[in-house]
């Protein structure tokens, strides 16, 4: 039995690092490129597995060369691949990523590919593994009805659920009652609440607004400022680790993976957040998304 099930996508991240992120119409000369594993779901699964968590990844890929990269990544990281559907008629997802090498900040265009065709009718096997999991973690890169169905089933079967609401997009209100932990970054928190997050007080207001929608616990990640947590009573603010960030791609995924791992080990909330914060901080010190996830010994 897997302790943690992650539903999400794999994409091959094709990233270009340069002196800046080019503006519309501009061409610049960059300094490095890399093709590596990405996709929020896959990154989060890798983060959990590298910490030593037992994780099952639920997804869909093609049989093209990027599909092979997906399987190699999962196998190398000891992630259960039984629930990764392979369809020879579909393309594996890809993402074009532009990284500013000075700040580590990025701009990303994701082509979801195979998993964009996911349907509720094809995930019976996957649903069973979710039901048996302790923790269910997902994002918003798959068709909403599939995500909602899985969250609902997870909650009805006693799983702890985490929704990383990224990329930010409209979700029906029904989602909220099935979420234990909601983990937006600042931009996503603004999208869901209309409150621009510039400091701890804004984060607190945004969290209150989300709790009023019916979500149980809110974690707003604040980039290099750290994170804010609230369950409506207890509030925690943790500063980010002081690291030299060179590429923040996948920092949020490292955070969610680290957090799910902490929860699966039944650590108290503060410790789960500390693990997540540390894992995420370390992930920014390496290039790439999936490949930048730290191992248990690193934390
Ligand atoms: P996302 O990657 O989803 O946009 P954030 O930018 O909020 O999410 O980053 C997620 C987490 O990664 C933060 O809460 C923090 O723990 C860590 N992090 C991000 N940027 C840095 C940084 N420059 N230095 C240290 N930690 C960072």
């Amino acid at each position: 039995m897997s302790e943690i099930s992650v539903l999400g996508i794999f994409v091959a991240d094709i990233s270009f690092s340069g002196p800046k992120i080019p503006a519309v119409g501009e061409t610049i000369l960059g300094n490095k490129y890399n093709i590596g594993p990405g996709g929020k779901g896959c990154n989060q699964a890798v983060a959990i597995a590298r910490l030593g968590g037992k994780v099952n990844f639920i997804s869909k890929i093609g049989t093209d060369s990027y599909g092979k990269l997906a399987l190699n990544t999962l196998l190398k990281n000891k992630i259960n691949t039984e629930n990764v559907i392979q369809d020879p008629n579909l393309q594996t997802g890809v993402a074009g990523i532009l990284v500013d090498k000075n700040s580590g900040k990025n701009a990303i265009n994701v082509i979801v590919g195979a998993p964009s065709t996911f349907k509720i009718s094809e995930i019976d096997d996957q649903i069973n593994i979710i039901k048996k999991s302790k923790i269910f973690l997902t994002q918003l890169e798959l068709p909403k009805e599939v995500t909602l169905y899985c969250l609902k089933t997870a909650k009805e079967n006693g799983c702890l659920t985490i929704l990383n609401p990224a990329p930010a997009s409209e979700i029906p209100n029904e989602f909220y009652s099935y979420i234990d932990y909601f983990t937006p970054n600042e931009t996503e928190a603004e999208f869901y609440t209309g409150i621009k997050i510039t400091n701890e007080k804004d984060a607190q207001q945004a969290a209150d607004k989300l709790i009023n929608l019916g979500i149980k616990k809110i974690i707003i990640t604040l980039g290099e400022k750290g994170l804010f947590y609230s369950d409506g009573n207890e509030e925690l603010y943790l500063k980010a680790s002081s690291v030299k960030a060179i590429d923040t791609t996948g920092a949020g995924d490292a955070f969610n993976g680290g957090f799910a791992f902490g929860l699966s080990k039944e650590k108290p909330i503060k410790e789960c957040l500390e693990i997540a914060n540390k894992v995420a901080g370390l992930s920014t010190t390496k290039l790439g998304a999936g490949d930048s996830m730290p191992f248990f010994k690193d934390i």
Side-chain angles (χ1 to χ4, degrees), residues 185 188 221-224 226-227 240-241 243 245 248 250-252 255 276-277 280-281 284:
N185 67 12
E188 289 143 11
T221 61
L222 308 169
E224 70 278 3
L227 70 101
S241 338
V243 291
T248 60
F255 188 94
N277 203 26
T284 68

